[in-house]
Amino acid sequence: MLLLITAVVTHLPWFQLGNTLTHTDWIVWPDETARSLVFTWTAWVPFMNFGESNIQMSFALIATLWSAIIGAGLNFDTAVKLTFFIPIAVFGFVSPYLFFRKLAPGDGVAFLVAIFYGATTPFLVRQTAHLPIAFVYSVAPLLLLLLENALRRRSFGAWLAFAAAYIVGVCYELRIMFIMTFVLAAYAAYFHGKSLYKQRRPLAVGIALIIALSLFFLLPVAFGGFSAEISHFAKRGLFGEQFLDLAHAFALSEPFWTGGLPDRDFVVQPIHWYLWLIPLVCFSALLLPKRTANKHGLFFAAVALVGILLTKQSSVPFPSFFAWLYENFPGFSLFRDGSKFFILIALGYAGLLHSLFTSLAQGRATVRKRVVFGATAMVVLAVAGMNVLPLVTGEIGTLFVPRRMPTDYRVMREAIGGQEEYFRTAWVPRSSPWAFFSADHPKFDVAEAPWTGWRLFSGSDPTLSPERIMAPLERSYSDALLDASAVKYVVVPLRDAANDNDFFRDYGGHSDTAIRDWYVSRLQALPYLRSADLGTKEVAVFENDKARSYVAALDSVLAFASSENLEQKYAFATEALGAGFDFLIADDAKDVPAPVVDMLFENVSDRDLSSRGYEAGGETGELSTTLHEKHGERFFSYQLGGGALRVYAGRPGQLRQAAVPLASAAPRVVFETAVGDGDYVASLGTRIIPLAPAATPREIGSAALPLKIERVSPVNVIPNPGFESGLWSKSVGDCNAYDDQPVLRMALSDRVSAGERALELSATRHIACTGTTMPVAAGRRYRLEFDYQSDNAPQAGYYLEFPGSSAAPLQGRLPVSDTEWRRFSRAVDVPADASTALITVYSYADDGGKKEVVTRYDSFSLRELTPVASVPATTTDDSFVPLPFSAFATAGSGVIFTFGDPAEPSGNLIPNPSFEDGLWAETVGDCNRYDSHGDVDMLRTEGGSHGRYVLELGATKHIACTGPTLLPVRENSRYLFSFAYQSPNGLAAGYNLGFNDPDATVIQERLPIGDSNWHLLNRQILVPAGATSVSLTVYSYDEGGGRRIVTRYDNFSLSLLPDLFDRYYLVSRSAEPARLPSEVAFETLDPTRTLVRVRGAGAPFYLSLAEAYHDGWQLRFATADGPFSWLPWAKRERIGDERHFALDGFLNGWYVDPAAVCADERCAANPDGTYDLTFVAEFAPQRWFILGLAISTTVFIGSSVWVAGAFVRRRLKKKKRSSSSGHA
Amino acid sequence: MLNPRDYIFTFRDAVALMRRCWAAVRGASLRDALGMIGLLAVGLALQIVFRLPADAIGLWLLAAAMLYWRLDGRYAIGVALVCLPAFPILSALESRKLSFNLVSAEQASIWAFFLLTIGLAALAVGRAPKLKRTKRSPSRSKR
């Protein structure tokens, strides 16, 4: 009773049935959704995102309980209280009490142990968000008790009780039960090892019962094709090694336990001093004299030490042990981190405490014994009291504070739940715990897009930055994507600080307090969305009014060779073919007739470069093949000469087929003017392109910005621009005076780009700088130019400011990749309130402070630009034009195209690409310096794919990284980037390309490595507007466990590509065009079955189902079912798997050809020659669930009846015996 | 009455341990001599071949000695219980930059873990013959 009171007092809100408890992952299920779970918790979970196969089938038991409780007139809050909150609170204290009282009689001792067990910090932290784990934690001692009973009594009933409890535990949390299985087995072997053989029959019955009762989730997992999902889930790699160590494990101190609200920012908390008393007291049980030390103490000490060894994860000692188990021990890959093993320490310490107290309580009660017992008990009670104090005061927050649903979510619940048609709601950045969802109205968290069906549309940025989150909604095809995804509403939830639920902080809110407004404003700017009035006041709701039906017929699906460059392909499909968004990725294993769209030169690499130019192959179709060229209206060229300047739009054709040039549309003149003497430039934004006289048109490049033609003033406003009159200042400036020990120098140099002198700045410590002022005209435009050079600096730099003006200064760091002079040039718009400008240039010391870094500058120029003409970008749209295509290739065969003039391969921008001249840097970088214990290294070793040497990065702890100097690049240009990589023991290689554009664009990737072979990365890189340089970094990632992860790199290349990307498309058709049937109707039977009726199908068509693609989905004919047709192996007439494809890369699609499939009497033929077809779209693994459920239920009911019958028979026999003895 | 000597590692226990060590050296049997030579060889091998640090070699040798001579595992556990509270104390000193170079907090916790493991193993081994004897004396069990 005292324990129950303790449970209630410490968990008071959990026993109040009228309140709602929610926090982070623990969401509030709508009552109506939870009520239907008995029917909807199936092998396919339809509620979130795009649905997924149910690898947690075992939760069906709890889902059924929720349904039953809500069906009985209660609500979801009560259902979770009865199935989670109250059992955890009660069993957390009662279950250890019952077990340890069973081990050795003594209420007081069992009480003390129970108080300790129920108040450990890992258990309390689990109670703040991860209730399934907390539940198994709470019932773990009860499982030991039931096993002890079963082993002692050897009765069928006892084994049934144990098996049922075990299965219930599995249904709540499989992973913790995996750990408990080993504890239970060890317990049985250690304490009952000798008698196990004698009771092999009841033991076998017990094991058979567990297996039989598990079949309802084992069968679909084993035979339903879920192994890939489970493997994917299990092989996510280790996580959080920096959070766990030996000290936290010993002290049984959860790393994020603060003594109040648990830390949510992954900051490891210091261990409270009093928690150290617990291991001291517990392990002192092993000091008991041998005669009193009992068997239990040794067993639980071993459990605790194993728990400590596993919980500390990759910390010393044995840092590799956890990683080894993760890789090699069956089932251990379910544990990404060691925190789940705290349960072993808690159980072990509880057993040791019990052993200690029992020994002290045994024998004669002396004063000294009482004192020791009392003092120890006080320590245990005091520590437990300190731990549960924040629960009583409410300081722990989280699930211990009742929450109130904001009115807006209540309004939304009614507005969305009241609509009958199927649709999804997309939540930006993610859904609120109060968000309504159901099987008919799933919710979709846009921030989760990279890990759901939208991974193709999310880009390569794996972070949770707001820009990345918004990206899939802001693409050219986003409107069509939302339609295909059946998204009707896009919702921005509240920053719900009142409920301590401001998750925006994880999605940009840390740095931007107005981040929610930012998301709303970005959505408001989307043309395909309109504000919707669902009655909410603060929750922003937008409507997409063209959401596709759950089941729909399509007449246009294109086959793409790859899933990359979808924006360009979408533009081509809509503009050139008049098609829609829907596509499939060509797959040899499938046979889905669809027009094949081949973007020529999409995956061009160095290997495609021959002496004739870049080569690309394509397939010709059996019915027709067409070639399309993007005319390139935004591609400009010019011709200056004869007193005239002409600007052309459009690209000259450079495509050949078998050496025969293919005629393409000629560039057209978009601007022509007479010009006099002087210099002219074309400018695109800040980029300046000097126009030189030429007899034939010369390239300017592609432009998304207006193209300006400007005349350059002959007057240079910079005084002493070539340092022929001396230096700009008397002494060198210190532009980074972080201490009083600068080592800087400035002089005139005779190494010049022009004239006889140049500026030479050198820095050994700090940054050397100098500058000069000049007059400028307010509001006018200028061209800034200067030369720079260095023998040993990785970069030069400049800073241009306008004294007295409020405008931001202009600055930049300029890559130095060789010892040649480079000319920097850019346009400068002088602010309206500026009259002078001050330019400063720098020489940067390196980090070590040991090397003198010398940077030279020369030939400065700041000249005014006078506008001559402007060609607005908006008037020059690109367009696709058919290219006359000689079909001398045989239909159905390959054809080769060649692009370019006789090959002039552009130079490799990366210096020392194969490390034949040494490493890129003297020291290795640490790119994840979260503490001072990094262990990274860098070598140059022999071997590799090219030349003699390779770069070898080693990471034992943290991330090793290195890179070359800054690389100069040209904005809006495409580069071919490639390198070779290899690792003998790592899971991934990785690179990062960081551009110096205003948005600081980053391109980064982790490249999975599954073997020890060399792999080649080949990427086309588009340099963002405004970028002039890029930094390259490559990595070796540590994987925990103290192993040195080796990642090798070789043969880097970054070279400019000619203008061939997104320019040519080959479209081949091999089947008759699809045509929509007259009508498609559907009826959802349950989440795994939908009845589809198609009428008037006279030609092939595509059928879409708005659930995530899975091989388990089948489209079968709704023919008459036999009595055993529900069995998983029953034969079903259906559309073949080769016609089932991933529509748009993530949804289910089938190609249905009525003429081919309507054999026998499966379809109804209409007089007009069309067919009516009736299908069932079915998720087949559900049949395994039904079969397993039937067996499990039968076994449970049969066993229960048998046990009840035995009980009654025993009672009757007893009664009869007592009555007959009474007679006697 | 509970004798504290039975419960905690006292000065008397330490003296007894030293006497036992001395007695072991003085009156070493062939088995003891072989054991000591073996320990010496193992220690050298750990140092020369595996290049283990001194404390690791000490722990391995302690484990081997305790199991070989069936020493009372409580000795190791007693030392472990000294190492355990050393962790928070040394951590506090380290955070105030008052650490001694002799031993770090992390090292103390590692010693505690190994000593507990060794002590537990010794206790478990110490129980094994007792169980066997109990099994082989049915007359006693009958009584």
Side-chain angles (χ1 to χ4, degrees):
Chain A
M1 180 55 73
L2 203 53
L3 286 173
L4 284 176
I5 292 170
T6 307
V8 173
V9 169
T10 53
H11 297 75
L12 197 56
W14 291 20
F15 290 85
Q16 296 166 345
L17 294 184
N19 63 25
T20 301
L21 301 171
T22 174
H23 184 67
T24 58
D25 292 346
W26 191 258
I27 62 170
V28 180
W29 284 60
D31 283 349
E32 49 271 48
T33 306
R35 183 168 43 228
S36 67
L37 275 173
V38 67
F39 305 110
T40 54
W41 191 264
T42 53
W44 186 258
V45 191
F47 306 109
M48 320 286 183
N49 301 324
F50 300 99
E52 59 186 351
S53 55
N54 192 348
I55 58 173
Q56 206 186 345
M57 284 302 305
S58 51
F59 199 74
L61 177 70
I62 291 94
T64 306
L65 284 174
W66 286 359
S67 285
I69 293 167
I70 298 169
L74 301 171
N75 58 17
F76 175 76
D77 295 328
T78 309
V80 290
K81 296 264 174 55
L82 295 178
T83 51
F84 277 94
F85 288 102
I86 293 174
I88 291 169
V90 171
F91 282 130
F93 292 107
V94 172
S95 129
Y97 173 79
L98 295 174
F99 171 60
F100 287 107
R101 201 180 61 165
K102 177 86 176 177
L103 279 191
D107 286 349
V109 169
F111 173 82
L112 285 170
V113 176
I115 290 288
F116 158 77
Y117 186 82
T120 56
T121 63
F123 184 37
L124 298 180
V125 171
R126 297 287 94 74
Q127 291 177 41
T128 63
H130 306 110
L131 295 188
I133 295 176
F135 180 89
V136 178
Y137 198 108
S138 71
V139 299
L142 196 63
L143 287 168
L144 285 167
L145 172 67
L146 291 172
L147 177 66
E148 176 71 22
N149 279 343
L151 289 167
R152 281 192 189 178
R153 291 184 190 169
R154 304 178 187 182
S155 71
F156 184 73
W159 275 109
L160 179 64
F162 169 71
Y166 182 90
I167 295 302
V168 168
V170 170
C171 290
Y172 273 87
E173 230 294 333
L174 180 66
R175 290 171 299 171
I176 308 299
M177 282 305 295
F178 180 82
I179 298 171
M180 278 308 297
T181 302
F182 287 93
V183 177
L184 293 165
Y187 184 90
Y190 185 78
F191 290 105
H192 300 272
K194 289 177 194 166
S195 61
L196 278 183
Y197 182 75
K198 286 181 191 167
Q199 50 176 318
R200 57 188 179 280
R201 276 191 191 160
L203 190 64
V205 168
I207 293 171
L209 272 175
I210 288 174
I211 293 172
L213 294 178
S214 310
L215 285 179
F216 74 96
F217 62 85
L218 284 182
L219 286 184
V221 168
F223 302 109
F226 294 177
S227 53
E229 285 89 340
I230 292 174
S231 175
H232 176 73
F233 176 79
K235 288 287 178 188
R236 291 175 295 169
L238 291 175
F239 165 78
E241 62 168 358
Q242 64 270 41
F243 304 141
L244 293 156
D245 55 36
L246 195 58
H248 280 84
F250 258 127
L252 196 50
S253 176
E254 223 282 343
F256 306 122
W257 176 256
T258 63
L261 183 68
D263 175 76
R264 284 180 287 188
D265 297 322
F266 293 108
V267 177
V268 177
Q269 301 297 307
I271 302 168
H272 294 274
W273 67 268
Y274 50 84
L275 293 177
W276 281 104
L277 297 173
I278 292 301
L280 270 179
V281 170
C282 292
F283 282 114
S284 68
L286 295 177
L287 289 179
L288 291 169
K290 284 183 180 175
R291 65 174 181 276
T292 52
N294 58 48
K295 215 176 168 183
H296 294 117
L298 294 185
F299 175 77
F300 285 109
V303 170
L305 286 174
V306 170
I308 289 167
L309 180 66
L310 296 174
T311 302
K312 67 158 189 64
Q313 199 174 330
S314 302
S315 300
V316 287
F318 307 120
S320 312
F321 185 59
F322 196 94
W324 184 87
L325 289 174
Y326 185 83
E327 294 288 335
N328 300 290
F329 193 87
F332 203 87
S333 55
L334 292 170
F335 303 96
R336 298 182 70 198
D337 70 288
S339 66
K340 309 286 185 301
F341 295 95
F342 269 121
I343 189 174
L344 292 180
I345 308 174
L347 273 176
Y349 281 3
L352 283 168
L353 268 186
H354 178 262
S355 180
L356 175 66
F357 283 130
T358 305
S359 298
L360 289 174
Q362 279 172 352
R364 200 157 57 89
T366 63
V367 174
R368 195 177 288 171
K369 272 176 79 173
R370 280 180 183 167
V371 168
V372 173
F373 187 102
T376 315
M378 285 303 293
V379 166
V380 171
L381 288 175
V383 172
M386 296 287 278
N387 286 347
V388 297
L389 192 61
L391 276 68
V392 178
T393 61
E395 281 178 77
I396 197 167
T398 62
L399 288 173
F400 290 85
V401 176
R403 311 292 180 185
R404 187 176 292 277
M405 180 192 271
T407 310
D408 272 5
Y409 293 118
R410 209 179 297 280
V411 170
M412 277 191 73
R413 186 168 286 206
E414 287 169 17
I416 292 175
Q419 299 184 46
E420 288 193 357
E421 84 265 31
Y422 179 95
F423 61 80
R424 288 190 169 85
T425 51
W427 293 74
V428 180
R430 53 159 276 197
S431 58
S432 157
W434 309 101
F436 176 81
F437 62 92
S438 67
D440 291 337
H441 303 125
K443 63 176 184 174
F444 166 43
D445 293 349
V446 176
E448 297 291 316
W451 301 277
T452 66
W454 276 15
R455 66 177 67 87
L456 290 184
F457 318 109
S458 300
S460 59
D461 180 4
T463 64
L464 290 175
S465 70
E467 290 287 349
R468 202 283 294 152
I469 291 168
M470 284 300 297
L473 298 172
E474 296 180 327
R475 303 204 188 279
S476 57
Y477 53 71
S478 296
D479 184 10
L481 176 62
L482 260 72
D483 295 346
S485 306
V487 172
K488 182 175 181 182
Y489 295 112
V490 180
V491 187
V492 183
L494 300 173
R495 292 192 81 156
D496 193 2
N499 283 319
D500 188 24
N501 186 33
D502 178 16
F503 47 78
F504 279 89
R505 59 202 287 277
D506 298 327
Y507 304 98
H510 255 311
S511 55
D512 183 359
T513 52
I515 190 66
R516 184 178 178 277
D517 295 336
W518 182 89
Y519 282 114
V520 172
S521 64
R522 292 289 282 259
L523 289 171
Q524 281 171 337
L526 295 176
Y528 62 88
L529 293 180
R530 63 177 178 83
S531 287
D533 184 9
L534 295 186
T536 59
K537 289 179 179 167
E538 292 180 74
V539 173
V541 185
F542 301 87
E543 185 172 351
N544 169 42
D545 53 10
K546 303 188 299 299
R548 186 182 287 166
S549 172
Y550 183 62
V551 177
L554 309 170
D555 60 353
S556 168
V557 173
L558 300 175
F560 294 153
S562 80
S563 59
E564 293 167 1
N565 307 307
L566 288 175
E567 295 225 66
Q568 289 81 3
K569 289 171 185 170
Y570 174 68
F572 170 74
T574 52
E575 291 172 25
L577 305 180
F581 170 71
D582 296 300
F583 65 91
L584 61 92
I585 305 301
D587 181 353
D588 290 340
K590 302 286 182 183
D591 178 21
V592 183
V596 178
V597 175
D598 194 350
M599 182 200 253
L600 298 180
F601 307 105
E602 181 179 22
N603 296 312
V604 69
S605 71
D606 287 337
R607 285 177 292 189
D608 300 315
L609 185 62
S610 72
S611 59
R612 296 180 300 278
Y614 283 95
E615 290 188 343
E619 294 291 324
T620 54
E622 290 168 12
L623 286 186
S624 67
T625 307
T626 52
L627 180 64
H628 303 255
E629 181 184 30
K630 192 175 189 179
H631 185 48
E633 288 284 316
R634 290 181 186 173
F635 185 88
F636 295 107
S637 52
Y638 74 96
Q639 188 176 7
L640 180 63
L645 170 67
R646 289 184 196 85
V647 176
Y648 300 89
R651 291 176 283 203
Q654 294 183 51
L655 193 68
R656 297 187 302 280
Q657 183 189 4
V660 178
L662 298 175
S664 60
R668 65 184 180 86
V669 176
V670 291
F671 170 75
E672 183 172 9
T673 185
V675 293
D677 292 338
D679 294 336
Y680 290 84
V681 294
S683 60
L684 295 162
T686 61
R687 185 177 156 212
I688 298 276
I689 301 136
L691 302 181
T696 55
R698 299 179 72 165
E699 175 185 312
I700 294 176
S702 293
L705 297 168
L707 173 71
K708 292 177 182 171
I709 306 296
E710 293 164 307
R711 185 172 185 276
V712 185
S713 166
V715 179
N716 183 1
V717 298
I718 297 183
N720 187 19
F723 306 97
E724 303 304 322
S725 311
L727 295 167
W728 282 344
S729 56
K730 288 180 182 173
S731 58
V732 63
D734 183 354
C735 286
N736 188 20
Y738 56 85
D739 63 19
D740 56 358
Q741 296 174 332
V743 183
L744 307 169
R745 189 171 61 79
M746 181 171 67
L748 290 171
S749 171
D750 56 2
R751 290 183 64 179
V752 299
S753 67
E756 294 181 354
R757 288 174 180 163
L759 169 68
E760 181 174 297
L761 284 170
S762 65
T764 307
R765 298 188 80 247
H766 299 197
I767 297 175
C769 58
T770 187
T772 187
T773 57
M774 65 219 74
V776 288
R780 304 302 291 267
R781 191 171 160 88
Y782 285 78
R783 181 181 72 175
L784 171 67
E785 287 186 308
F786 58 84
D787 295 333
Y788 61 98
Q789 182 272 342
S790 176
D791 293 337
N792 61 355
Q795 55 193 348
Y798 75 96
Y799 189 90
L800 182 68
E801 58 186 318
F802 302 96
S805 169
S806 56
L810 309 172
Q811 56 185 315
R813 293 203 176 196
L814 312 169
V816 179
S817 54
D818 52 34
T819 58
E820 300 297 314
W821 281 95
R822 301 277 168 192
R823 185 131 186 100
F824 170 73
S825 174
R826 66 161 292 168
V828 173
D829 290 303
V830 174
D833 56 350
S835 58
T836 56
L838 167 60
I839 187 165
T840 307
V841 289
Y842 305 96
S843 181
Y844 306 95
D846 73 352
D847 288 342
K850 293 174 183 169
K851 183 176 74 178
E852 183 183 35
V853 177
V854 178
T855 314
R856 299 181 185 88
Y857 295 89
D858 200 358
S859 304
F860 282 80
S861 163
L862 188 67
R863 297 168 194 268
E864 190 176 343
L865 297 172
T866 309
V868 175
S870 179
V871 183
T874 50
T875 61
T876 55
D877 288 334
D878 289 331
S879 61
F880 290 93
V881 291
L883 204 59
F885 170 57
S886 305
F888 44 75
T890 311
S893 68
V895 58
I896 302 291
F897 297 97
T898 311
F899 181 92
D901 296 325
E904 280 291 337
S906 65
N908 185 0
L909 296 176
I910 299 178
N912 186 19
S914 297
F915 308 97
E916 304 305 313
D917 301 328
L919 292 167
W920 282 336
E922 291 175 5
T923 54
V924 63
D926 181 347
C927 285
N928 190 21
R929 196 192 293 264
Y930 56 81
D931 62 21
S932 58
H933 304 305
D935 187 357
V936 292
D937 61 270
M938 178 170 69
L939 307 168
R940 189 174 68 138
T941 57
E942 293 193 3
S945 61
H946 188 265
R948 186 177 173 188
Y949 294 105
V950 297
L951 165 69
E952 177 176 311
L953 287 170
T956 308
K957 198 168 184 187
H958 298 193
I959 298 175
C961 58
T962 190
T965 55
L966 285 178
L967 309 168
V969 288
R970 205 171 77 186
E971 63 178 337
N972 296 321
S973 298
R974 228 163 241 282
Y975 287 78
L976 195 59
F977 175 55
S978 64
F979 62 83
Y981 60 97
Q982 180 262 354
S983 176
N985 60 353
L987 294 174
Y991 73 90
N992 177 303
L993 290 167
F995 296 92
N996 67 340
D997 60 310
D999 294 333
T1001 304
V1002 167
I1003 297 173
Q1004 57 184 350
E1005 267 187 286
R1006 275 205 186 202
L1007 310 163
I1009 302 176
D1011 52 38
S1012 59
N1013 298 328
W1014 280 92
H1015 300 269
L1016 181 68
L1017 173 101
N1018 204 80
R1019 292 277 185 275
Q1020 287 189 34
I1021 303 293
L1022 176 63
V1023 176
T1028 57
S1029 68
V1030 61
S1031 65
L1032 166 64
T1033 311
V1034 290
Y1035 305 97
S1036 181
Y1037 305 98
D1038 72 331
E1039 290 167 12
R1043 276 191 310 157
R1044 178 176 178 265
I1045 301 299
V1046 173
T1047 315
R1048 301 192 181 100
Y1049 296 90
D1050 195 12
N1051 201 19
F1052 283 82
S1053 173
L1054 183 69
S1055 54
L1056 186 66
L1057 270 177
D1059 184 32
L1060 46 64
F1061 175 76
D1062 183 32
R1063 192 163 170 187
Y1064 299 101
Y1065 288 85
L1066 194 68
V1067 181
S1068 55
R1069 299 171 196 272
S1070 299
E1072 66 171 300
R1075 202 170 71 223
L1076 290 176
S1078 316
E1079 183 188 346
V1080 175
F1082 69 94
E1083 180 187 348
T1084 303
L1085 306 175
D1086 64 51
T1088 61
R1089 289 182 306 144
T1090 299
L1091 188 66
V1092 182
R1093 293 192 180 88
V1094 179
R1095 299 192 192 286
F1101 62 94
Y1102 305 92
L1103 196 72
S1104 76
L1105 178 75
E1107 298 284 2
Y1109 177 82
H1110 192 286
D1111 287 338
W1113 280 102
Q1114 297 175 351
L1115 189 66
R1116 67 176 172 86
F1117 286 94
T1119 49
D1121 293 342
F1124 297 106
S1125 62
W1126 59 275
L1127 288 169
W1129 51 83
K1131 197 177 175 188
R1132 296 178 286 277
E1133 292 181 334
R1134 59 190 176 88
I1135 302 296
D1137 289 339
E1138 73 281 2
R1139 298 284 165 106
H1140 177 211
F1141 62 94
L1143 177 68
D1144 303 334
F1146 71 108
L1147 298 172
N1148 289 285
W1150 287 272
Y1151 177 81
V1152 182
D1153 183 355
V1157 301
C1158 285
D1160 306 328
E1161 295 175 353
R1162 292 185 294 195
C1163 314
N1166 296 317
D1168 60 357
T1170 62
Y1171 293 96
D1172 293 344
L1173 304 92
T1174 307
F1175 296 111
V1176 174
E1178 178 183 2
F1179 190 61
Q1182 173 72 1
R1183 291 169 177 253
W1184 287 108
F1185 171 64
I1186 291 171
L1187 177 65
L1189 188 64
I1191 298 172
S1192 297
T1193 310
T1194 306
V1195 168
F1196 182 72
I1197 294 173
S1199 306
S1200 302
V1201 169
W1202 193 90
V1203 170
F1207 177 75
V1208 170
R1209 277 198 304 277
R1210 210 163 42 241
R1211 291 288 298 219
L1212 286 175
K1213 206 183 269 181
K1214 202 172 177 183
K1215 205 172 177 184
K1216 202 173 172 184
R1217 205 180 299 143
S1218 61
S1219 63
S1220 60
S1221 63
H1223 273 297
Chain B
M1 189 178 81
L2 183 77
N3 189 344
R5 203 181 140 200
D6 288 340
Y7 182 58
I8 54 174
F9 190 82
T10 63
F11 179 69
R12 277 190 184 183
D13 291 320
V15 172
L17 177 64
M18 283 190 285
R19 279 184 180 160
R20 190 165 174 180
C21 289
W22 173 240
V25 173
R26 204 174 50 180
S29 64
L30 179 62
R31 184 177 182 277
D32 292 339
L34 284 175
M36 280 189 271
I37 291 167
L39 278 187
L40 198 63
V42 169
L44 285 172
L46 291 174
Q47 165 64 27
I48 295 164
V49 180
F50 296 103
R51 304 263 173 202
L52 289 188
D55 61 334
I57 294 173
L59 287 168
W60 280 111
L61 293 184
L62 176 67
M66 293 200 79
L67 296 177
Y68 187 76
W69 280 290
R70 298 284 173 98
L71 298 179
D72 190 344
R74 292 179 301 153
Y75 294 136
I77 289 162
V79 182
L81 291 185
V82 175
C83 291
L84 264 183
F87 181 90
I89 295 166
L90 289 170
S91 286
L93 289 174
E94 283 170 5
S95 66
R96 289 168 177 74
K97 299 190 175 174
L98 291 171
S99 64
F100 308 106
N101 286 331
L102 287 173
V103 61
S104 67
E106 189 180 57
Q107 198 62 45
S109 66
I110 293 170
W111 288 353
F113 178 78
F114 276 114
L115 289 166
L116 283 170
T117 308
I118 292 166
L120 184 65
L123 285 177
V125 170
R127 285 185 64 90
K130 208 183 260 181
L131 291 173
K132 275 185 184 172
R133 275 200 298 277
T134 310
K135 192 180 174 186
R136 285 175 188 171
S137 49
S139 55
R140 262 169 80 182
S141 61
K142 270 182 187 173
R143 274 203 299 274

